[in-house]
């Protein structure tokens, strides 16, 4: 009898969600970071967005980055799109695993993409068709799944309903995103349970921000409830450089530490992950907010 | 049928564990902080240590602080002691709920109190007798319950064995402490399960540090396994002011947010807790590491 060790599947989103709010860095610097991330053993990287370069100048070089991804054949790369134009650009650039965001609140949806939530849902069908014709896959990310800065708390059934309709409209996979970092374990588990019931059997990931220090607790609660796919960003990249502590995504190295220390395999080497985080600090010219990054890993056993 | 809402019991340790490594602040400033903490609704505060003023100059005013505690009759105050001399001082100062630390590793025990782990265990009986004669109670804190910076990983059965012997020696309650912040949810649950089996029916609390970003995840895992007593420090007070991110205890406001947002009562008002954290920042003259403190609470519902 051989027990199968538990494992989780972490998607590194630093190059996209982490860098999108930073001052633009050169394409060569991004490729250096992607190279360091690929060396950690991570299997999936969300590498850029095909969106308006005016809206997100930091990711204006999406095509230039995409052109180099053949260097890392063992990594599955994906990109974010916000509409049909972005899908066409991404497919032309050779990226076929695409993510499309639907905000569960109108307030955030309009602020983010200038469309209502319903208008965003209506776009899933043509986006999915375009991607599927090119042999690609579409993941729909339900953003603002817990609270909206404009509209207040998001009804959990609204999130589940969007997930159900996304799958009916052609989504191959789903994610739930705590976009502003207000979720806690009880609500995380509740929303995920409803989404699974609304879209049974569909791949479901969780995208967490650590803005209020709750990120890893939510990840653990989600793991305990059966979730195995998590987004995270190297060094906790993201957030606002002008608001100390207002961090971005949960830090990949802290998520890896949490799982690996408990015997749950991530496929990611923690030391190489810390190297990548230090590289990100050098490339951005500032310290990142990660606590593990500041403290270092667990002390070595005596005698080592 | 009335459902009993779940609740947890948080002990504020900022005035002791938080301040002990800081530059001494005036007694009046401590009383101002204690006043702000008492106003949050917290029911228990670990208020000082009766230890050598040379070893811990920041808490040299233990007697002066203790003399003022009658101002807050609704709060249960406790203090840390390291030996019989400290017990006598604490009892003379009117503090009868005392905590005594046993390090589960010899390396840390010698560095901390100049005694082996066994020598510290041997002191429990006389300490308990002295406290019980004065009508007080003794909580034994098993420190270094996960990893030692000198001796490496702590065998979980060693922690359980110390807990069992502490109760046999007269301890009325137990805590398990992740002194250097290396624990993760799987190991937290494992150690707590063993301690409960070794000391069934004894009050058991958990003392976590957030040094590697794991604190709240561990608290959630412990809650899920049945633990209801948690230490935390306002603003995440503690840690080294010269190592950004090397935080101290888990931040009280983040623990309160995690539980209250999930419908688990703490008795603590989150806004007053944030006020107390901002006061701590003013009294210490520096920013604290708490993420919720930097970000603020959950946005108000629309229209509010």
């Amino acid at each position: 009898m051989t027990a199968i060790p538990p494992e989780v599947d972490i998607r590194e989103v630093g190059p996209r969600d982490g860098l999108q709010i930073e001052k633009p860095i050169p394409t060569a610097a991004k490729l250096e970071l992607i190279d360091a991330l690929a060396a950690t053993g991570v299997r999936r990287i969300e590498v850029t967005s095909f969106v308006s370069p005016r809206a997100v100048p930091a990711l204006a070089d999406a095509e230039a980055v995409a052109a180099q991804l053949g260097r890392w054949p063992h990594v599955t790369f994906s990109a974010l799109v916000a509409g049909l134009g972005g899908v066409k650009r991404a497919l032309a650039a050779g990226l076929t695993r695409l993510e499309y965001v639907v905000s569960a609140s109108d307030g955030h949806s309009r602020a983010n993409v200038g469309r209502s939530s319903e208008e965003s849902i209506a776009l899933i069908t043509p986006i999915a068709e375009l991607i599927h014709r090119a042999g690609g896959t579409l993941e729909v990310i339900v953003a603002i799944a817990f609270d909206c800065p404009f509209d207040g708390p998001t009804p959990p059934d609204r999130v589940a309903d969007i997930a159900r309709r996304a799958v009916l409209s052609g989504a191959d996979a789903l994610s739930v995103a705590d976009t502003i970092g207000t979720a806690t374990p009880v609500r995380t588990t509740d929303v995920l349970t409803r989404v699974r019931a609304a879209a049974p059997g569909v791949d479901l990931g969780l995208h967490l921000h650590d803005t209020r220090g709750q990120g890893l607790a939510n990840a653990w609660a989600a793991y305990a409830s059966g979730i195995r796919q998590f987004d995270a960003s190297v060094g906790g990249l993201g957030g606002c450089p002008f608001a100390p502590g207002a961090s971005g995504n949960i830090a990949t190295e802290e998520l890896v530490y949490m799982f690996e220390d408990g015997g749950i395999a991530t496929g990611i080497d923690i030391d190489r992950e810390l190297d990548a985080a230090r590289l990100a600090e050098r490339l951005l010219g500032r310290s990142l907010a990660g606590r593990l990054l500041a403290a270092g890993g667990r002390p070595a056993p005596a005698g080592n």
Side-chain angles (χ1 to χ4, degrees), chain A residues 30 37 66 110 142 169 275-276:
Chain A
K30 291 182 188 178
L37 293 169
R110 288 192 192 283
V142 187
S169 304
D275 288 344

Side-chain angles (χ1 to χ4, degrees), chain A residues 83-303:
Chain A
L84 287 164
V87 173
K88 287 174 193 161
R89 281 177 59 202
L91 294 173
L95 274 160
T96 56
R97 297 178 74 99
L98 302 180
E99 297 130 22
Y100 171 69
V101 170
V102 174
S103 283
S105 79
D106 281 326
H108 180 263
S109 190
R110 288 192 192 283
N112 198 36
V113 292
R115 292 189 292 259
S116 72
S117 197
E118 281 300 324
E119 286 164 347
S120 286
I121 294 168
L123 266 176
I124 299 173
T125 298
I127 285 175
E129 282 174 4
L130 199 52
I131 294 170
H132 290 158
R133 270 207 300 275
T137 57
L138 170 63
E139 173 179 319
V140 168
I141 300 170
V142 187
I144 303 291
F146 299 91
D147 294 287
C148 173
F150 310 107
D151 299 355
T154 304
D157 282 336
R158 168 91 183 130
V159 180
D161 185 57
I162 294 172
R164 183 184 60 78
R165 292 167 65 193
V167 173
L168 289 175
S169 304
D172 305 290
L174 294 167
S175 275
V176 162
D178 179 20
T179 313
I180 61 167
T182 56
T184 49
V186 168
R187 289 202 290 149
T188 300
T189 306
D190 176 47
V191 166
L192 291 170
T193 302
R194 291 176 200 239
V195 169
R196 263 194 303 216
V202 178
D203 268 3
L204 176 58
L206 182 60
H207 178 96
L208 295 165
H209 284 249
D210 201 23
T211 319
R212 286 163 185 82
Q214 310 290 316
L216 253 63
N218 296 340
W220 184 256
Y223 176 80
S225 84
I227 294 292
R228 294 294 178 267
Q229 295 180 39
F230 298 90
D231 286 358
S233 94
V234 57
L237 204 62
C240 175
F242 307 109
S247 69
N249 298 94
I250 51 174
T252 309
E253 66 276 12
E254 293 178 6
L255 193 65
V256 168
Y257 180 84
M258 178 176 84
F259 286 127
E260 292 278 345
D261 187 69
I264 299 155
T266 64
I268 295 174
D269 182 284
I270 185 87
D271 292 322
R272 290 191 172 190
E273 188 67 41
L274 287 167
D275 288 344
R278 287 183 205 107
L279 173 65
E281 289 186 313
R282 284 198 300 278
L283 296 174
L284 292 169
R286 65 178 178 92
S287 289
L288 296 175
R291 293 182 173 190
L292 181 64
L293 186 57
R298 190 175 159 190

